[in-house]
Amino acid sequence: KKAIIDPSLFKYKVQPIKKHLYEPVIVKASQLSRRKHLFSRDRLKLFLKQHCEPHDGVIKAKATSIEKYNLAEQNFSYFFPDEPPTFIFSPASRRRGRPPKRASASLEDSITPKQNTPGGKSKVSRERAKFQKQKD
């Protein structure tokens, strides 16, 4: 098994946007940082919309993005040099939060009238009673 490489030992080659004005520089990991709030939910949604599409229930990169960024030439180990992580299985816990919405209106028959409305009768029961009175 390979030993895990300490991220602080990595050196990065930083290439400038304007290559005609500056030369590439090699820097240590401690010299790199990113601005706060650079990553957000809205930006993630935008990224997924622009560069990904669903295929048989799996989200995959669009062909245009694969070509533009030469992703076909790269593989997982190019971006992550260490061994892939092994995740421990954890059983699903009970769902928290609000209960799921009702599946359908046909459930109204299984709900007792006192549960449905504060008056004690459901709307359907009242309509039936009103119809019976008119019929009599």
Side-chain angles (χ1 to χ4, degrees):
K1 206 172 186 183
K2 281 180 18 180
I4 296 173
I5 300 171
D6 183 19
S8 64
L9 298 176
F10 278 97
K11 292 185 179 178
Y12 298 90
K13 184 177 183 180
V14 179
Q15 294 187 351
I17 296 171
K18 298 178 181 178
K19 293 181 181 180
H20 63 279
L21 295 176
Y22 305 100
E23 293 183 15
V25 179
I26 296 176
V27 297
K28 298 177 189 174
S30 62
Q31 293 174 300
L32 295 176
S33 65
R34 65 176 173 86
R35 288 179 280 155
K36 283 188 174 184
H37 309 296
L38 191 62
F39 184 76
S40 68
R41 182 177 182 164
D42 292 332
R43 287 182 188 236
L44 177 60
K45 287 169 96 174
L46 183 64
F47 169 78
L48 290 172
K49 185 185 256 186
Q50 289 178 343
H51 298 287
C52 301
E53 58 191 1
H55 285 281
D56 300 325
V58 178
I59 298 174
K60 294 187 176 184
K62 289 182 179 179
T64 54
S65 297
I66 291 172
E67 281 181 39
K68 183 176 180 179
Y69 299 106
N70 298 324
L71 297 178
E73 300 167 7
Q74 315 304 331
N75 59 17
F76 185 83
S77 61
Y78 177 80
F79 298 104
F80 303 99
D82 291 333
E83 291 288 323
T86 54
F87 297 103
I88 300 169
F89 175 77
S90 58
S93 61
R94 291 184 177 181
R95 289 187 57 178
R96 296 181 189 172
R98 61 181 177 210
K101 293 181 180 177
R102 279 192 0 190
S104 67
S106 65
L107 292 176
E108 188 166 338
D109 296 336
S110 64
I111 297 173
T112 60
K114 288 184 181 178
Q115 289 176 331
N116 206 1
T117 58
K121 290 187 177 181
S122 69
K123 186 175 181 181
V124 174
S125 304
R126 288 189 301 236
E127 292 293 326
R128 283 184 191 152
K130 188 188 270 186
F131 183 72
Q132 285 293 341
K133 285 181 183 179
Q134 289 177 355
K135 199 175 183 183
D136 293 343

